[in-house]
């Protein structure tokens, strides 16, 4: 049996429950992993609230790190006793142990702790696909990145610096802006201080940025389009402030033949070989020192509701983990 966080209906943090669930043995293509630390992400909130509906009852969580306890038939990249980490479907990482598909579970290098592993997989592989698999980016390009002091944002600031890309961040307080600057953002705008779009234009000499990476959603969408240079790319990859309202495609034309995409991590990691390659790229960035995984909040598993409340209220910086 393993303590597991579930929901039986969509709603606020109060619907999160901890129950004992049988774990069982892995079947073909599966592993059983005993978790050491679990990660917290905004997608967990979307699933709990019903923005991304789940079939009930549903186990929660998408990211964790631990030790492989058993390996099913056909699994060759992991063995019993291996340290491992993952960000993967289906949900269910908020638990002591689970049986799950092995394809997206990645061997965790010795130089990376379980805590770092649990805090970096979903966020770090998201940054990997944003910078390397969504639209061509090269040294000298300029990116606008919203929520630059969050878990994804701080990794993105460092990643951009390591690639010679100029990252303009936004955040909601001066302290958060300073955090983004300390982690490699070239500039950071406190969007509560006035017209952040005008400031982006000023910082780019009136041209606008090559790419916007926006996980905030409704509150920043129009301003993000207005921050792009002609032929620029809008990457909308999250909905922290709510989903983006429908809009006419002609708006892209009127702003200079803009491009737009709405990617997800789980499309990018669907193939085993792609997932493992993305994870290796991320691990190499961390092991080289180009990227440091900052963990600013730690909650015990039984305080998972408080952890999600803090995340929703934008009271967090860096990554948040759940300790077992």
């Amino acid at each position: 049996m393993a303590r597991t966080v579930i929901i039986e209906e969509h709603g606020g943090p109060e619907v999160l429950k901890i129950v004992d669930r049988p774990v069982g043995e892995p079947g073909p293509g599966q592993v059983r992993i005993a978790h050491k630390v679990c990660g917290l992400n905004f997608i967990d909130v979307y699933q709990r609230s019903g923005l991304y509906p789940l079939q009930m009852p549903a186990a929660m969580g998408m990211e964790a790190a631990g030790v492989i306890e058993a390996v099913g038939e056909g699994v060759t990249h992991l063995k019993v006793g291996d340290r491992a980490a993952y960000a993967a479907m289906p949900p269910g990482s908020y638990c002591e142990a689970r049986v799950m598909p092995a394809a997206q579970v990645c061997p965790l290098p010795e130089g990376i702790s379980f805590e770092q592993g649990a805090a970096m997989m979903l966020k770090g592989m998201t940054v990997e696909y944003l910078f390397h698999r969504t639209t061509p980016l090269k040294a000298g390009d300029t990116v606008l990145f919203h929520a630059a002091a969050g878990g994804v944002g701080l990794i993105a600031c460092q990643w951009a610096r390591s690639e010679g890309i100029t990252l303009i961040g936004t955040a909601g307080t001066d302290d958060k802006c300073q955090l983004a600057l300390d982690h490699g953002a070239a500039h950071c705008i406190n969007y509560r201080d006035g017209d952040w779009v005008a400031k982006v234009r000023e910082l780019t000499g009136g041209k606008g940025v090559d790419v916007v990476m926006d996980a905030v959603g409704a509150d920043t969408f129009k301003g993000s389009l207005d921050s792009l240079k002609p032929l620029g790319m809008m990457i909308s990859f999250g909905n922290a402030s709510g989903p983006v309202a429908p809009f006419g495609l002609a708006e892209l034309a009127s702003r200079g033949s803009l491009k737009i995409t709405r990617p997800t991590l789980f499309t990018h990691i669907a193939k085993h070989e792609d997932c493992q390659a993305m994870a290796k790229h991320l691990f190499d960035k961390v092991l080289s020192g180009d990227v440091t995984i900052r963990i600013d909040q730690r909650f015990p598993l039984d305080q998972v509701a408080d952890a999600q409340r803090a995340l929703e209220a934008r009271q967090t910086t860096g990554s948040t983990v759940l300790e077992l």
Side-chain angles (χ1 to χ4, degrees):
M1 304 293 286
R3 287 192 307 149
T4 304
V5 177
I6 68 163
I7 58 172
E8 295 174 328
E9 60 181 336
H10 293 298
E14 69 278 357
V15 302
L16 296 164
K17 299 180 179 180
I18 297 181
V19 299
D20 289 325
R21 274 192 162 186
V23 179
E25 296 297 322
Q30 295 181 323
V31 294
R32 186 174 74 234
I33 181 169
H35 292 151
K36 300 292 187 180
V37 188
C38 309
L40 185 79
N41 296 281
F42 243 105
I43 191 173
D44 309 343
V45 173
Y46 303 155
Q47 291 171 342
R48 187 212 71 220
S49 70
L51 181 62
Y52 297 171
L54 299 175
Q55 186 173 349
M56 300 298 151
M60 299 300 295
M62 305 296 290
E63 178 182 46
V67 176
I68 302 298
E69 289 189 327
V71 174
E73 181 182 354
V75 177
T76 59
H77 70 291
L78 294 164
K79 65 182 184 300
V80 174
D82 279 355
R83 304 167 75 254
Y86 66 87
M89 298 286 277
S93 70
Y94 290 2
C95 66
E96 293 174 324
R98 68 184 295 201
V99 169
M100 65 180 294
Q104 282 71 43
V105 181
C106 304
L108 185 66
E110 287 294 336
I112 299 175
S113 70
F114 289 119
E115 189 177 60
Q116 290 172 311
M120 70 189 277
M121 295 300 288
L122 193 147
K123 303 167 192 70
M125 289 195 294
T126 294
V127 173
E128 202 276 350
Y129 85 69
L130 289 172
F131 278 84
H132 295 278
R133 298 169 189 266
T134 308
T135 191
L137 278 168
K138 62 185 183 302
D141 285 345
T142 301
V143 167
L144 173 63
F145 199 101
H146 293 296
V152 179
L154 292 184
I155 295 173
C157 290
Q158 298 173 82
W159 204 291
R161 179 173 58 189
S162 75
E163 302 278 340
I165 292 166
T166 299
L167 186 144
I168 301 171
T170 69
T173 69
D174 290 342
D175 287 345
K176 287 186 175 183
C177 283
Q178 187 60 53
L179 194 59
L181 293 169
D182 291 344
H183 283 74
H187 312 277
C188 195
I189 301 165
N190 184 339
Y191 61 80
R192 301 186 193 278
D193 282 350
D195 187 347
W196 57 266
V197 176
K199 292 180 181 178
V200 171
R201 288 284 174 180
E202 180 183 344
L203 289 169
T204 58
K207 296 177 181 178
V209 299
D210 297 287
V211 177
V212 176
M213 300 177 180
D214 187 346
V216 175
D219 289 352
T220 52
F221 182 73
K222 183 178 181 298
S224 291
L225 294 181
D226 290 337
S227 298
L228 283 164
K229 64 173 56 172
L231 305 178
M233 169 65 84
M234 169 69 179
I235 307 174
S236 176
F237 70 101
N239 321 277
S241 66
V244 173
F247 70 100
L249 287 176
E251 292 196 37
L252 302 180
S254 66
R255 288 172 167 84
S257 302
L258 302 182
K259 295 163 281 188
I260 187 167
T261 185
R262 179 57 173 90
T264 72
L265 172 64
F266 301 105
T267 306
H268 284 86
I269 64 172
K271 293 181 180 179
H272 168 74
E273 58 271 23
D274 291 341
C275 179
Q276 300 297 321
M278 291 169 67
K280 184 180 185 305
H281 195 180
L282 172 61
F283 294 151
D284 287 347
K285 286 282 189 184
V286 173
L287 291 171
S288 70
D290 284 341
V291 171
T292 299
I293 305 303
R294 182 178 176 121
I295 302 167
D296 287 344
Q297 297 79 215
R298 296 167 175 84
F299 293 83
L301 186 66
D302 60 7
Q303 292 179 18
V304 61
D306 291 334
Q308 288 203 1
R309 287 188 187 97
L311 185 65
E312 286 183 278
R314 302 189 189 183
Q315 295 172 348
T316 64
T317 54
S319 296
T320 302
V321 297
L322 301 172
E323 299 174 326
L324 297 166

